[in-house]
Each structure stands twice: as C-alpha cells, then as structure tokens.
C-alpha cells in the first residue's frame, strides 16, 4: 500500500514530512487537493502549505531536504492533477499501485475492521465487488470507454455514472451497500485515473511503483525511488519488512469471476437477510 512507501521514505534523513507540532495522520493525507475548483484560492493555498515544514533551496555542497504527502484520493478525483499543478508547478509524483482486485478487497476489509467487523465479511466483500463491477462495465460501455481508448475527458463521466448507479442500487444488506459506496472497484481503474497525470507531467517527474514489487524487494524498490527523487544513498535494509496500516482482520479476496448481471448474482446468494 502507498502508506508503506510513504513511511519508508520518511526514514531517509533528507525527507521531512511534518513539523514537530503537526499531526502525522493529518500531514500524511491532507486531502486538500482532491476535487477542488480551479484555480485554488489564496486561502486554500496558504492552508495547504501550512501542513508542511518550510524548506529552502540548500546552498551548494549541502544536503537538500524534501517534503510531501500521500493520499489515495488524488489519483481518483479527476480534477486533482490540475489542483496539484496549480499549487506545485514541478513536483515529483509517485503513483503506488496495487493489484486492483487485491486493492478493492483490502479497502472494504480495512473499512469494516475499523467499523465493527460484521459477520460474513468475506461474503460482503465478494458481493459488493461483483455488484459494483457490473455497474462499472455498464457505465464504461455507455460512455464508450475501453482500455484501448482511455479518454481522459470521460473519466469524470464514468465516475459520475458509477456514483449515480450505486446510489440507486438496492443490495440485500446495509453492509453491502456501505461497501459499494466506497467505490472499491472504480478506484482500481488506474489506466483511466493516470491519464490526466501523464498529460500534465513529464515522464521525468512521475513514477509508477507496483506494490507487489515493493513487497517482494523493498530495498531494491526504495533504492529506485530514492534515485528518482535525487536522494543520497541510504541503507534501506533498516526498513525492509516493516508493516504499516495493518488491519485487524484477514479475509481472502474473491476468487471467482464477477458476474456481469447483478440481479442474477443476487439470486445466486441464498439465505441473505434484507437490509
């Protein structure tokens, strides 16, 4: 998950993510640049910058410090790339992407691990992902969006279509409805979400990290990230294997294919209670 890369980076002596008086969680995810109108107001700009330590260009021969934040909301909201560009004209951007199916299941599991751990969580995950996936397919077909033609302009249309259909859909339980309203499947459409970022920022300023590769080789991945950010060499073996943001429950993600027909899928689930 993106929190691993964020926390790992914070161990580097050149990286400063917050001042001593800042709250760590607040600074990690300000969420201020997601879904705002363009251009940002002076008040929003000042508040956003207040989350970070003041860093100046280091004199020649001294170590340059850097700062930043991490937020899953920025990649999802269509206007976020423009918001970021309005505040930071030349940032370094790291996209940490997890397997979409694993990411979707993990999001639902993590939410419920913090909100009561309802029974049959594995069924809730399976059902919510299948139902939302059917809605996503219909919305993409309706707007003519395919992997071969990932129109940047249509990302907003797809998210609005999914949100409206999820809101109108009536699943059999409240828990499934709650899970669907997290939009776990829609948030995994990386090829659409990255479209605007790649349009606004050159390849030298953006980098995609695959979470599974970081899990397999955290030291090698962090060395690669450090080189991308022009950081000095660092012994990343000290942070390898450390886990952050671990939920309290573990449920295997669904193994079967999503049924494209939500009504048929619902009928295949006997013994569910109304909600």
């Amino acid at each position: 998950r993106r929190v691993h890369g964020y926390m790992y980076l914070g161990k580097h002596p050149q990286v400063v993510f917050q001042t001593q008086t800042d709250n760590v969680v607040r600074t990690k995810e300000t969420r201020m640049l997601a879904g705002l109108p363009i251009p940002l107001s002076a008040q929003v700009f000042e508040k956003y910058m207040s989350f970070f330590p003041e860093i100046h260009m280091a004199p020649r021969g001294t170590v340059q410090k850097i700062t930043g934040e991490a937020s899953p909301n920025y990649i999802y909201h269509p206007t976020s790339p423009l918001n970021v560009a309005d505040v930071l004209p030349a940032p370094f951007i790291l996209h940490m992407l997890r397997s979409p199916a694993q990411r979707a299941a993990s999001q639902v599991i993590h939410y419920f691990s913090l909100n009561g751990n309802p029974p049959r969580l594995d069924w809730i995950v399976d059902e919510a992902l299948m139902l939302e996936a059917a809605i996503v397919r219909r919305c993409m077909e309706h707007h003519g969006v395919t992997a071969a033609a990932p129109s940047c302009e249509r990302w907003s249309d797809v998210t609005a279509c999914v949100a409206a259909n999820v809101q109108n859909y009536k699943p059999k339980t409240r828990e499934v409805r709650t899970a669907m309203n997290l939009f776990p499947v829609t948030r995994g459409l990386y090829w659409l979400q990255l479209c605007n970022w790649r349009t606004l920022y050159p390849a030298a300023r953006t980098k995609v990290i695959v979470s599974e590769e970081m899990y397999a080789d955290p030291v090698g991945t962090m060395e690669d990230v450090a080189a991308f950010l022009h950081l000095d060499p660092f012994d990343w073996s000290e942070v390898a294997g450390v886990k952050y943001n671990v939920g309290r429950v573990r449920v295997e993600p669904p193994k079967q294919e999503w049924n494209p027909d939500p009504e048929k899928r619902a009928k295949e689930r006997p013994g569910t209670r109304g909600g």
Side-chain angles (χ1 to χ4, degrees), residues 131-162:
L131 293 175
E132 189 199 351
I135 292 173
V136 168
R137 288 194 189 96
R138 291 200 300 270
C139 285
M140 290 176 61
E141 290 172 358
H142 176 73
H143 290 286
V145 176
T146 66
S151 171
C152 295
E153 295 77 13
R154 295 297 176 88
W155 173 231
S156 296
D157 296 332
V158 171
T159 57
C161 176
V162 172

Side-chain angles (χ1 to χ4, degrees), residues 14-160:
Q14 286 178 253
V15 179
V16 185
F17 280 135
Q18 78 259 355
T19 63
Q20 291 182 345
T21 57
D22 282 333
N23 180 283
V24 174
V25 175
R26 253 177 104 210
T27 308
K28 180 171 75 68
E29 296 184 22
T30 70
R31 305 186 183 188
M32 288 192 62
L33 302 182
L36 295 178
I38 299 293
L40 298 177
S41 67
Q43 291 83 357
V44 170
F45 175 79
E46 291 176 3
K47 183 176 181 181
Y48 176 75
M49 296 306 292
S50 71
F51 283 100
F52 306 100
E54 189 173 347
I55 294 179
H56 301 280
M57 184 64 68
R60 184 184 298 274
T62 61
V63 176
Q64 177 66 54
K65 301 282 188 178
I66 66 171
T67 189
E69 65 165 317
S71 175
N73 294 298
Y74 288 176
I75 190 175
Y76 180 69
H77 286 279
T79 61
S80 293
L82 295 172
N83 293 142
V84 172
D86 195 38
V87 175
L88 305 168
F92 285 100
I93 299 173
L94 293 166
H95 297 291
M96 179 170 283
L97 307 180
R98 187 178 182 182
S99 162
Q102 292 284 341
R103 197 219 66 79
S106 178
Q107 181 185 3
V108 177
I109 292 167
H110 182 68
Y111 174 86
F112 282 113
S113 75
L114 301 176
N115 292 276
N117 287 338
R120 302 182 303 157
L121 183 54
D122 55 345
W123 176 83
I124 293 171
V125 171
D126 180 68
E127 188 77 354
L129 268 57
M130 290 181 181
L131 293 175
E132 189 199 351
I135 292 173
V136 168
R137 288 194 189 96
R138 291 200 300 270
C139 285
M140 290 176 61
E141 290 172 358
H142 176 73
H143 290 286
V145 176
T146 66
S151 171
C152 295
E153 295 77 13
R154 295 297 176 88
W155 173 231
S156 296
D157 296 332
V158 171
T159 57

